[in-house]
């Protein structure tokens, strides 16, 4: 499929041959949220050139990571979905997300938050061990992106759009990262206006307990 070989008989090298090319894992990330049309992937990855997206999809399909599925009428068209083999990348993608989130600070001028990336961020940062017995719905409005998370006794369902019966609605921007990393307390974020809520203030504390970024970085020698 034109992928570069690392010349090593190694599982890591094999994995990188399949998903190590630029954009490949971000395509997998978005497909972990659900099936996507070609145009959906372009909209979710606005910086990717069309020809590169086409190449990555062909490579991933050739490696058995994704497949095309024809939609029945009346929808009509083709969507890309992960194969069973490709779906096994979820654990690795979530682990990479947790690891990478530790180095985030503030977004650069050209960096955006997308719906799929925010859904995966919720799945990445969810701490199930704190959610036993918790039943609560959260809606996050981050600029133009609206996602929601429903927690049900240790289980999480995160998806796009509004949650009509949300217990807490959070309105914010990139400041959500500092809140989830514990760099700003819920009280500080509410008092300075960087976060606005509809619902009980205590639920924002619960949100930061359930969804947290480990911001600790190793000391530089």
């Amino acid at each position: 499929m034109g992928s570069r070989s690392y010349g090593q008989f190694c599982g890591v090298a094999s994995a990188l041959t399949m998903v190590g090319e630029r954009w490949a894992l971000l395509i997998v990330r978005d497909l972990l949220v659900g099936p996507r049309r070609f145009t959906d992937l372009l909209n979710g990855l606005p910086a990717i050139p069309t020809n590169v997206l086409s190449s990555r999809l062909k490579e991933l399909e050739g490696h058995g990571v994704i497949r095309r599925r024809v939609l029945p009428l009346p929808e009509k068209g083709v969507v890309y979905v992960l194969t069973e083999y490709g779906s096994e990348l979820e654990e690795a993608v979530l682990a990479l997300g947790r690891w990478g989130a530790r180095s985030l600070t503030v977004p650069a001028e050209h960096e955006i938050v997308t719906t799929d990336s925010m859904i995966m961020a919720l799945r990445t940062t969810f701490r199930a061990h704190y959610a036993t017995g918790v039943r609560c719905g959260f809606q996050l409005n981050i600029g133009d992106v609206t996602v929601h998370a429903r927690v049900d006794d240790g289980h999480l369902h995160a998806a796009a759009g509004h949650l009509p019966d949300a217990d807490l609605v959070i309105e914010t921007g990139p400041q959500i990262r500092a809140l989830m990393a514990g760099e700003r307390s819920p009280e500080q974020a509410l008092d300075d206006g960087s976060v606005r809520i509809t619902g009980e203030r205590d639920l924002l504390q619960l949100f930061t307990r359930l969804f947290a970024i480990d911001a600790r970085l190793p000391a530089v020698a």
Side-chain angles (χ1 to χ4, degrees):
M1 299 300 298
S3 298
R4 291 174 292 184
S5 170
Y6 294 93
Q8 295 189 10
F9 189 69
C10 163
V12 175
S14 177
L16 287 174
T17 297
M18 291 186 280
V19 297
E21 294 290 340
R22 183 172 169 83
W23 297 105
L25 271 182
L26 290 182
I27 294 170
V28 171
R29 178 202 67 186
D30 286 5
L31 292 180
L32 281 167
V33 177
R36 294 291 181 265
R37 296 176 186 266
F38 186 89
T39 52
D40 296 330
L41 291 168
L42 275 180
N43 291 334
L45 302 167
I48 191 172
T50 303
N51 64 317
V52 173
L53 177 57
S54 296
S55 295
R56 293 295 169 267
L57 290 172
K58 289 179 182 177
E59 291 164 4
L60 290 170
E61 190 174 7
H63 290 305
V65 176
I66 68 172
R67 64 181 177 85
R68 283 175 285 183
R69 188 172 76 197
V70 179
L71 295 173
L73 294 173
E75 293 183 75
K76 199 176 181 180
V78 173
V79 293
Y80 292 91
V81 299
L82 291 169
T83 62
E84 183 178 351
Y85 183 48
S87 296
E88 293 175 6
L89 284 165
E90 180 172 8
E91 184 179 347
V93 172
L94 293 178
L96 276 173
R98 281 190 293 272
W99 185 76
R102 294 170 60 185
S103 67
L104 293 176
T105 52
V106 295
E109 186 176 342
H110 65 282
E111 293 179 326
I112 64 170
V113 173
T114 67
T115 299
D116 287 345
S117 70
M118 197 61 217
I119 291 170
M120 289 301 291
L122 289 171
R123 289 166 61 178
T124 295
T125 58
F126 180 58
R127 301 198 289 184
H129 54 286
Y130 287 130
T132 301
V134 174
R135 290 179 173 82
C136 194
F138 302 95
Q139 178 178 308
L140 281 73
N141 302 329
I142 303 174
D144 296 331
V145 171
T146 296
V147 298
H148 66 264
R150 191 182 294 280
V151 178
D152 185 6
D153 191 19
H155 300 282
L156 170 69
H157 174 73
H162 298 269
L163 185 62
D165 59 345
D167 298 285
L168 183 71
V169 177
I170 302 171
E171 302 262 356
T172 187
Q175 300 88 346
I176 189 69
R177 183 259 166 207
L179 183 68
M180 295 171 70
E183 296 170 359
R184 296 192 69 72
S185 70
E187 293 77 16
Q188 289 173 323
L190 291 171
D191 289 345
D192 67 20
S194 60
V195 173
R196 300 175 300 280
I197 63 170
T198 302
E200 298 294 328
R201 290 172 70 102
D202 288 351
L203 290 178
L204 186 60
Q205 184 72 50
L206 175 63
F207 175 83
T208 61
R209 181 175 173 83
L210 296 176
F211 301 91
I213 295 171
D214 181 357
R216 295 173 298 169
L217 288 173
V220 178

